[in-house]
Every structure is written in C-alpha cells, then in structure tokens.
C-alpha cells in the first residue's frame, strides 16, 4: 500500500535497526482516515473468503480490526491480554510473548464469540517475531473455526515472523513490508515482490 509506505517514510521513526516507532499515526495518535483505508485494503484482499469474524489482539490491533470488520460488514473480536487467567472454561486461551515489552501474557477470547462455523481473518499492527499472530492462530485452532488469512499492517520482513507463519500454510497479506531499516533510512520490499499466497 503505497500511501502507507510513504507515510512510514515520512513519519515513522526507526529507533534502531529493529524497532519502528509509528505512534504519531498508527498506534497512539491514530490517523482515522488512513486506518479506514487500511481496513478497506484488507477487506479487498480477502473479499472472496466469506469472512464472518475479524480477530485481533488488544490494544494496537483494535482500530485496524474495526476498520476491516466495518469494510467487510462483520463483527470484530479482540483477544484480551492478562497476566494470569484463573477461570478458563469459558475461554480459549494461549500465552504470547511480547516483543516490545519483554513479557509473556495470557491471551483469551470468550467461547461465545468464536465457533467452528466461523471463517476468521486475523489482523494486527505489526508482524515481527510472529508470536502475537501465532497466538491468535492458536485461539482460532481451539475454536475449530476456519482461518482464511492474516493481515499485517506493517511487516518487518527481516524478522522471523513471516517464515514462522508461512510454515503453517496460512495466507499472509502485509500492507507495508520493511526489508531493512536504520535511523537514517527505511527500505521496503517492492510491492511487485509482495506475492500473497
Ligand atoms: P510479534 O513480535 O509478536 O510479531 O509482534 C507483537 C507486537 O509487538 C505487535 O503487534 C506490535 O504491537 C509490537 N511490535 C513489534 N515490533 C514493533 C515495532 O517495531 N514497533 C512497534 N511500535 N511495535 C512493534
């Protein structure tokens, strides 16, 4: 998505060669119009998949899931993060390690909102190590729902996440794929080279 790449070049701040700050337009202050376009881009990519639910993880995936759900005309669900969950019988749960916080969370979704009849599109803000998205994939697996694909707003292609997800056979669509970055420069993989399976 050219517009997103341009905005990352303009307003994204690579703190080093691994962490990209995008909190002026994607995950603290949020550009509402750009977020809606991101939702439309995911919806267009997966329009033939008869998606019934969009799934994300709190907090920074929520607005992208809202925009995607609105574009597809379906509800979205956000998995909740807790340090520990005591009562789990009504929940699908798994643990996820946070790349940015260096902590492990229990992530859960109520069994009321996801079932074997659902066709799920997972979206999140970043694909980095892939742990958050693998956790969401595990929640979908527990529910018996069909996973139609994964949408990532920003993919740091130099990290291991895409490879780990591809190994599961899932279709991945990332709107901006960063090949490499430094405080001086952000290099994207060419759009033409972005072949979604
Ligand atoms: P994962 O490593 O599991 O793929 O990414 C987990 C979460 O860490 C993402 O959803 C995102 O919220 C956060 N994250 C990972 N890398 C970055 C980054 O470079 N910048 C920012 N702002 N968040 C990141």
């Amino acid at each position: 998505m050219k517009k997103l790449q341009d905005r990352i070049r303009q307003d994204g701040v690579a703190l080093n060669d691994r962490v990209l700050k995008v909190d002026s337009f994607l995950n603290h202050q949020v550009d509402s119009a750009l977020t809606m376009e991101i939702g439309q881009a995911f919806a267009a990519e997966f329009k033939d998949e008869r998606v019934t639910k969009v799934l994300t993880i709190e907090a920074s995936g929520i607005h992208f899931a809202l925009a995607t759900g609105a574009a597809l005309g379906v509800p979205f669900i956000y998995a909740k993060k807790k340090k520990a969950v005591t009562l789990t019988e009504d929940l699908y749960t798994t643990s996820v390690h946070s790349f940015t916080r260096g902590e492990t969370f229990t992530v859960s979704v109520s069994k009321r909102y996801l079932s074997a009849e659902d066709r799920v599109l997972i979206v999140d803000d970043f694909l980095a190590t892939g742990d958050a998205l693998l956790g969401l994939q595990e929640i979908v697996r527990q529910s018996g729902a069909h996973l139609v694909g994964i949408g990532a707003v920003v993919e740091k292609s130099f990290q291991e996440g895409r490879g780990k997800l591809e190994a599961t056979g899932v279709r991945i669509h990332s709107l901006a794929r960063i090949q490499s970055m430094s405080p001086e420069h952000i290099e994207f993989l060419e759009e033409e080279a972005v072949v979604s399976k």
Side-chain angles (χ1 to χ4, degrees):
M1 185 176 170
K2 171 88 169 60
K3 192 168 183 176
L4 177 64
Q5 292 191 357
D6 291 346
R7 189 64 179 275
I8 292 170
R9 278 212 179 87
Q10 187 187 309
D11 292 332
V13 179
L15 296 181
N16 47 48
D17 62 358
R18 293 186 79 78
V19 179
L20 179 69
K21 227 171 161 272
V22 286
D23 66 352
S24 65
F25 63 107
L26 285 186
N27 66 11
H28 187 30
Q29 174 172 262
V30 175
D31 183 325
S32 312
L34 180 63
T35 297
M36 298 316 282
E37 286 184 47
I38 285 168
Q40 282 154 8
F42 285 142
E45 177 69 19
F46 293 98
K47 66 179 186 328
D48 298 328
E49 289 287 355
R50 293 178 287 117
V51 174
T52 63
K53 301 269 168 79
V54 177
L55 176 66
T56 192
I57 185 166
E58 69 176 354
S60 47
I62 291 178
H63 44 295
F64 301 116
L66 166 65
T68 309
L72 287 167
V74 300
F76 80 93
I77 304 165
Y78 62 94
K80 300 198 175 196
K81 286 181 192 165
K82 297 221 175 66
K83 280 256 164 80
V85 174
T86 40
L87 282 174
T88 57
E89 68 264 29
D90 298 330
L91 302 171
Y92 306 117
T93 63
T94 191
S95 56
V96 166
H97 183 74
S98 163
F99 167 83
T100 39
R101 291 170 198 236
E103 283 179 66
T104 299
F105 295 93
T106 297
V107 171
S108 62
V109 167
S110 170
K111 289 185 179 172
R112 269 179 294 171
Y113 304 127
L114 213 50
S115 72
E117 286 76 55
D118 282 310
R119 294 178 60 83
V120 180
L121 171 61
I122 293 175
V123 305
D124 202 8
D125 60 341
F126 273 88
L127 167 54
T129 67
D131 286 355
L133 290 164
L134 283 166
L136 292 176
Q137 225 182 334
E138 167 59 18
I139 297 248
V140 174
R141 192 198 61 75
Q142 288 175 23
S143 74
H146 177 73
L147 178 61
V148 306
I150 289 179
V153 179
V154 183
E155 174 184 314
K156 291 186 293 180
S157 305
F158 53 86
Q159 289 191 247
E160 65 276 30
R162 173 172 276 260
K164 285 200 273 182
L165 291 170
E166 273 180 350
T168 72
V170 70
R171 175 177 168 190
I172 306 164
H173 185 65
S174 302
L175 299 181
R177 298 185 68 189
I178 298 175
Q179 186 171 35
S180 63
M181 62 185 195
S182 70
E184 293 76 37
H185 184 70
I186 298 174
E187 189 68 39
F188 292 95
L189 287 175
E190 289 303 315
E191 292 241 352
E192 291 71 23
V194 179
V195 179
S196 44
K197 293 198 195 171

